[in-house]
Amino acid sequence: MKDMLGIVVDVRHQFKVRPSKYERVIAKIDTQLQGEFKIFNRLLLSFDRKSLGKEKISQWFFPPQGEEPYISTYRPDPFPLDDLTQVPIEHARLERGLQYYKEQRVVYVCIDDRYGYAIVSGSEYYEVEFEYNNGIIEDISCSCYCDGHCKHEFAVLLELQYTLQIVEREFKNEYSKNGYVTTIDKDVVWQMSVRWSNKGTIIFHNQTEPIIIN
Ligand SMILES: [Zn+2]
């Protein structure tokens, strides 16, 4: 069941497992969501730091990692988000990244001021971190740690272009209030939160109005 999204609610059998894997299974996570979400196609968007923060959402995909810092030996050159031809990436990786984007594998994006974070579903889940400032991407890195830019990063860059277009077109005021936006795939919210809620309220106003879960 490796990398299947889900929540263990009961264990009925004796089992044998390596402790490192066991931690992944029993990590206690917060699946409650609170706040107001905008719906846009397959995504839910939030502009509230308390609703879909990356500290909370990353727990849904990754085992607890503590505060261990990265050691990085290189810093990629900055490039503009609106011209990805400037990204020095191998052609095969670019093609795979485009495929990942089309397959909607970028399940979560958070832009908090200039700090960006995204989760990509590949052979397992990967975290991509970057800085975004005045249209420029800096210091992008992925937890697959391959040499140079990877397909996960490229998929995130395409998703980021898409997300910022939506924000600019539909949610400019909401975004400018806090300089903060998160997007999450609706299916993930359903799988990881809504279906496990025994109590709460969801309010549907009409097709274009917010969904409220508390
Ligand atoms: Zn990667």
Side-chain angles (χ1 to χ4, degrees):
M1 294 180 70
K2 186 172 184 294
D3 291 314
M4 282 183 65
L5 207 56
I7 295 170
V8 177
V9 291
D10 192 16
V11 178
R12 289 164 187 271
H13 301 280
Q14 290 190 330
F15 59 92
K16 187 175 167 185
V17 67
R18 289 186 198 282
S20 59
K21 301 289 178 191
Y22 189 64
E23 260 176 49
R24 284 184 82 116
V25 178
I26 62 165
K28 196 172 175 196
I29 59 172
D30 175 6
T31 60
Q32 296 291 313
L33 286 185
Q34 214 160 19
E36 186 177 302
F37 303 94
K38 303 287 188 187
I39 301 172
F40 195 89
N41 295 337
R42 73 173 180 105
L43 300 174
L44 295 185
L45 291 88
S46 168
F47 302 90
D48 175 357
R49 282 188 169 79
K50 293 193 289 293
S51 286
L52 287 174
K54 70 172 190 182
E55 291 74 18
K56 174 185 242 166
I57 304 303
S58 64
Q59 296 176 357
W60 293 5
F61 296 91
F62 306 104
Q65 288 162 344
E67 290 298 302
E68 197 178 24
Y70 292 114
I71 297 171
S72 178
T73 54
Y74 95 116
R75 199 181 162 95
D77 288 333
F79 54 83
L81 182 63
D82 66 3
D83 182 11
L84 296 184
T85 61
Q86 295 190 33
V87 184
I89 179 171
E90 287 171 18
H91 185 72
R93 291 181 182 178
L94 181 149
E95 289 288 324
R96 289 293 293 148
L98 178 61
Q99 197 64 31
Y100 270 30
Y101 167 71
K102 287 183 183 163
E103 290 168 6
Q104 307 184 333
R105 286 169 174 267
V106 182
V107 295
Y108 176 76
V109 173
C110 173
I111 305 166
D112 185 349
D113 196 11
R114 61 181 289 169
Y115 296 99
Y117 174 86
I119 297 172
V120 183
S121 166
S123 53
E124 53 189 271
Y125 288 99
Y126 294 98
E127 295 174 284
V128 173
E129 292 182 277
F130 55 91
E131 287 183 35
Y132 177 72
N133 195 18
N134 286 327
I136 302 294
I137 297 285
E138 282 179 65
D139 208 11
I140 186 164
S141 68
C142 174
S143 61
C144 76
Y145 304 118
C146 72
D147 202 9
H149 293 296
C150 68
K151 58 194 174 191
H152 312 109
E153 292 173 13
F154 200 76
V156 166
L157 292 168
L158 294 169
E159 183 77 15
L160 196 60
Q161 285 182 338
Y162 174 68
T163 303
L164 290 169
Q165 272 167 25
I166 298 169
V167 167
E168 174 71 21
R169 208 170 61 222
E170 311 271 338
F171 306 108
K172 212 172 174 173
N173 292 340
E174 290 89 341
Y175 179 55
S176 62
K177 237 178 276 170
N178 298 319
Y180 179 87
V181 60
T182 51
T183 67
I184 193 164
D185 192 291
K186 277 190 284 200
D187 286 346
V188 171
V189 171
W190 177 262
Q191 283 290 337
M192 295 301 290
S193 179
V194 179
R195 67 180 295 196
W196 306 108
S197 304
N198 295 320
K199 289 180 179 169
T201 311
I202 295 178
I203 303 171
F204 295 98
H205 295 278
N206 65 41
Q207 274 201 319
T208 57
E209 285 293 304
I211 171 173
I212 297 171
I213 304 171
N214 59 35

